[in-house]
DNA sequence: GGGTCAACCAAGCAAGCGCTAGTGTAAATG
DNA sequence: CATTTACACTAGCGCTTGCTTGGTTGACCC
């Protein structure tokens, strides 16, 4: 088995899996569906991944790693005012949400399907990303750019940004989706 | 079968189902698990609901109907300034999110599992609720209370509010949950 | 040209799934 | 008293699931 490496083949399979997981949801996506989409037989899948769970973990890991890279680059590139850094961070966030849309939607909707070990590992990645956000928000608070409770501000900002995956459709203004364009509670 | 009525027994079963759907997700929740939680055998479940899908629809319907009632009451009770109405609406929204938490989390995560007929029916309920929001936001824009694109403003407000179900835990400040307290994309 | 190795396949197993059929029974209804 | 209704039961059918097994292929290497 290829379990631990990051072969190009595995990367591609992961990308395809992400797409299917978004379309059908993790539980509804069978290993046979995944295999067919990948052009192989279902048994062959387990040459690349230990089990179905590992495919899910690979999808989320990939997405979160890319988010970290993009955010760091954006922060390096912009000037050091709190406003510019906040702007850069928000923009990087939305950029990631779009380019790795599938992976992030999966992370959002299927996180609970991860087993404890995978969850622990991916939590570290996530925490690293959140640390960037908290840093930037602290600066914004210190400069008086925004006001309010540090905790609440960051939750609300992240909420508003992340929620975009539910209603923003890059394919066009009003393509029918399988979830409601918006949601009322 | 009791399919169409709203017997008190069915209401209670629906409440229990909502809890299980939140804990396990719709697909992972088997009719046998539901039956056990309800203290009956799996076959007996189909006396109350036509099929598993109908249980899901019942959960979401219940939650959305309650949201509508609460929001309307709140709007009736407050005075007519745009600020007061916006405040009342936001408060009612969060109140619903808390009291019918399970139902709303299910609606948020499992909407896609609904079959087309159920989805169409529930969309109407949802639209009725959203109409209240749009009305209030329009008033706020007209009075200059908030600025910006009407569409974007309502999405961002709803996003920030709805996102609370992901990090706010009514049981206490830091109880471990099965999803990340917050999320980084 | 024999050996290596990732990649793949055909076949199938054990477990679990939603749901149905048919029956029993106590309370409500005529 | 006779009949219907609401609710529960047992038993199991037909099918799908994730995953395993044992073997084949073809490109590359010394």
């Amino acid at each position: 088995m290829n379990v631990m490496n990051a072969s190009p083949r595995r990367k591609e399979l992961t990308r395809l899996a992400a797409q299917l997981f978004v379309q059908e949801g993790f539980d509804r996506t069978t290993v046979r569906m995944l295999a067919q989409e990948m052009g192989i037989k279902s048994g062959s899948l387990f040459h690349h991944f230990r089990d179905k769970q590992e495919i899910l973990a690979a999808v989320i890991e990939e997405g979160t790693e890319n988010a970290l890279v993009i955010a760091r680059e954006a922060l390096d590139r912009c000037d050091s005012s709190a406003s510019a850094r906040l702007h850069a961070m928000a923009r990087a966030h939305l950029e990631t949400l779009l380019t790795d849309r599938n992976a992030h939607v999966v992370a959002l909707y299927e996180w609970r399907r991860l087993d404890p070990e995978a969850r622990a590992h991916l939590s570290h990645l996530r925490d690293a990303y959140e640390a960037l956000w908290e840093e930037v928000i602290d600066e914004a608070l210190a400069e008086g750019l925004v006001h309010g409770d540090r905790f609440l501000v960051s939750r609300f900002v992240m909420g508003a940004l992340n929620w975009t995956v539910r209603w923003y459709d890059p394919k066009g203004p009003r393509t029918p989706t399988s979830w409601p364009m918006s949601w009322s509670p």
Side-chain angles (χ1 to χ4, degrees), chain A:
Chain A
M1 299 202 193
N2 246 349
V3 165
M4 272 299 140
N5 77 3
S7 70
R9 182 77 175 125
R10 188 176 142 126
K11 269 241 161 81
E12 198 199 327
L13 299 183
T14 303
R15 227 199 62 247
L16 285 168
Q19 195 191 334
L20 258 179
F21 287 162
V22 168
Q23 273 172 35
E24 307 287 331
F26 178 69
D27 289 324
R28 289 281 173 100
T29 306
T30 69
V31 293
R32 282 171 244 269
M33 293 165 64
L34 286 166
Q36 187 170 26
E37 199 74 8
M38 297 163 178
I40 58 180
K41 299 296 176 182
S42 71
S44 313
L45 237 171
F46 297 91
H47 172 74
H48 300 277
F49 304 92
R50 188 177 355 247
D51 53 22
K52 197 189 169 190
Q53 284 262 350
E54 204 187 62
I55 308 180
L56 176 60
V59 167
I60 299 183
E61 183 174 23
E62 172 92 4
T64 312
E65 271 171 355
N66 285 352
L68 252 175
V69 170
I70 291 180
R72 280 183 182 139
E73 282 177 3
L75 286 179
D76 284 353
R77 219 185 298 113
C78 72
D79 65 63
S80 63
S81 74
S83 149
R85 287 170 64 80
L86 191 61
H87 188 92
M89 196 64 190
R91 200 175 181 87
H93 195 93
L94 292 175
E95 196 182 314
T96 302
L97 239 37
L98 271 180
T99 60
D100 291 313
R101 194 166 209 253
N102 287 338
H104 292 311
V105 171
V106 168
L108 168 52
Y109 280 90
E110 315 286 0
W111 180 270
R112 307 185 305 162
R113 303 287 161 251
L114 292 168
D115 51 40
E117 307 102 68
R119 207 179 286 183
H121 168 224
L122 294 172
S123 289
H124 284 122
L125 268 179
R126 184 170 49 77
D127 290 348
Y129 182 82
E130 286 205 351
L132 291 182
W133 261 107
E134 284 181 17
E135 195 184 307
V136 169
I137 288 202
D138 277 343
E139 294 166 12
L141 284 166
E143 278 199 23
L145 195 65
V146 289
H147 304 280
D149 179 78
R150 176 176 177 269
F151 181 78
L152 282 179
V153 165
S154 63
R155 299 299 171 196
F156 267 62
V157 169
M158 301 270 284
L161 291 178
N162 285 332
W163 199 256
T164 54
V165 301
R166 289 190 67 89
W167 55 264
Y168 179 66
D169 188 347
K171 298 254 174 68
R174 292 258 171 202
T175 315
T177 56
S178 57
W179 52 62
M181 283 297 281
S182 72
W183 183 67
S184 47

